[in-house]
Amino acid sequence: MANVNITKKAIQEAFMAVLDEKPFGKITVKDITDRCGINRNTFYYHYQDIPALLEEICQNQVEDIISKYPTLNSIEDCLDAAMQSVLENKRAIMHIYNSDNRNTYVSSLWRMCEATVTTYFNTAFTENRLSSEDRQLLIRYHKCECFGLILDWINNGLREDYIEGARRLCQMKKGSVEDMIRRIQQAEGK
């Protein structure tokens, strides 16, 4: 099992290195196998094709962010965690985003935003008496907010000034989650 994991990791790292250099649609299995020193059969033993490899890498990215951030204390922290994940592979993500396989990455970004916002709610609002439905509604709303901001940032070419704008927006909204929870509780007479 250890050799399988080592080989898969080598394939993934080689793919990400090649993806940093060229667009997704121009990458071949040969590019990847040449980079990591394996043969085509070894690649196909582990992955059906390059999109399957991308799917696993995206899933791993979501799992990595969950393990890397077991607690988050604000929506700004959620946004920072997701944005940092994007910045770590900026060129590669732009190559994926500008390819026919964009939906694979967008889907993983959606899951990443859901995971970070859920972590935030689990960290910051453990004692609030919210119904499960209201809690899920608030998580969904803030997940969409984070996802939309990050997607807009990617659509605008991952400009550096956008990060500061997103942080500024978070500062403007500071306390809004608590206000929403307070209004919910007041409406329910809690």
Side-chain angles (χ1 to χ4, degrees):
M1 185 68 156
N3 288 339
V4 169
N5 289 336
I6 291 170
T7 303
K8 287 180 93 169
K9 185 173 169 69
I11 292 169
Q12 292 172 10
E13 288 173 356
F15 170 70
M16 291 303 290
V18 173
L19 186 58
D20 196 49
E21 297 167 2
K22 59 176 27 178
F24 184 88
K26 303 248 186 235
I27 296 173
T28 65
V29 170
K30 184 174 178 1
D31 292 331
I32 298 166
T33 58
D34 286 352
R35 178 69 62 114
C36 65
I38 61 168
N39 63 44
R40 292 175 60 85
N41 288 341
T42 302
F43 176 89
Y44 286 113
Y45 174 79
H46 295 287
Y47 297 101
Q48 178 181 345
D49 53 21
I50 294 173
L53 169 60
L54 175 63
E55 180 74 37
E56 184 170 310
I57 288 171
C58 287
Q59 179 60 39
N60 290 345
Q61 187 179 33
V62 173
E63 291 169 8
D64 287 348
I65 206 162
I66 290 168
S67 66
K68 191 174 183 179
Y69 299 97
T71 62
L72 293 164
N73 297 309
S74 68
I75 291 295
E76 184 176 6
D77 289 348
C78 297
L79 204 52
D80 280 347
M83 287 179 143
Q84 184 58 43
S85 177
V86 171
L87 285 174
E88 288 171 5
N89 297 296
K90 187 175 179 176
R91 286 180 49 91
I93 286 173
M94 289 306 295
H95 283 149
I96 295 166
Y97 192 74
N98 292 317
S99 77
D100 291 340
N101 288 280
R102 169 190 295 200
N103 286 340
T104 300
Y105 180 72
V106 169
S107 177
S108 75
L109 180 61
W110 180 255
R111 292 189 310 270
M112 186 184 308
C113 290
E114 180 172 34
T116 58
V117 171
T118 300
T119 297
Y120 162 56
F121 270 81
N122 290 343
T123 301
F125 305 108
T126 56
E127 296 179 20
N128 285 21
R129 293 175 289 163
L130 283 174
S131 69
S132 177
E133 295 81 16
D134 285 341
R135 183 181 187 80
Q136 288 307 312
L137 187 59
L138 288 173
I139 289 172
R140 187 174 351 139
Y141 171 79
H142 289 90
K143 167 185 66 174
C144 292
E145 182 179 47
C146 285
F147 177 77
L149 285 169
I150 294 170
L151 204 57
D152 188 51
W153 177 48
I154 293 171
N155 279 326
N156 284 288
L158 301 172
R159 293 187 349 237
E160 289 293 322
D161 63 321
Y162 198 90
I163 296 171
E164 286 309 312
R167 287 186 179 138
R168 177 81 177 122
L169 183 61
C170 287
Q171 287 299 315
M172 290 179 209
K173 291 183 52 108
K174 199 166 222 66
S176 64
V177 176
E178 292 83 356
D179 288 342
M180 293 172 95
I181 292 171
R182 192 171 27 262
R183 282 193 295 276
I184 289 168
Q185 290 173 337
Q186 287 172 348
E188 294 175 351
K190 291 182 181 176

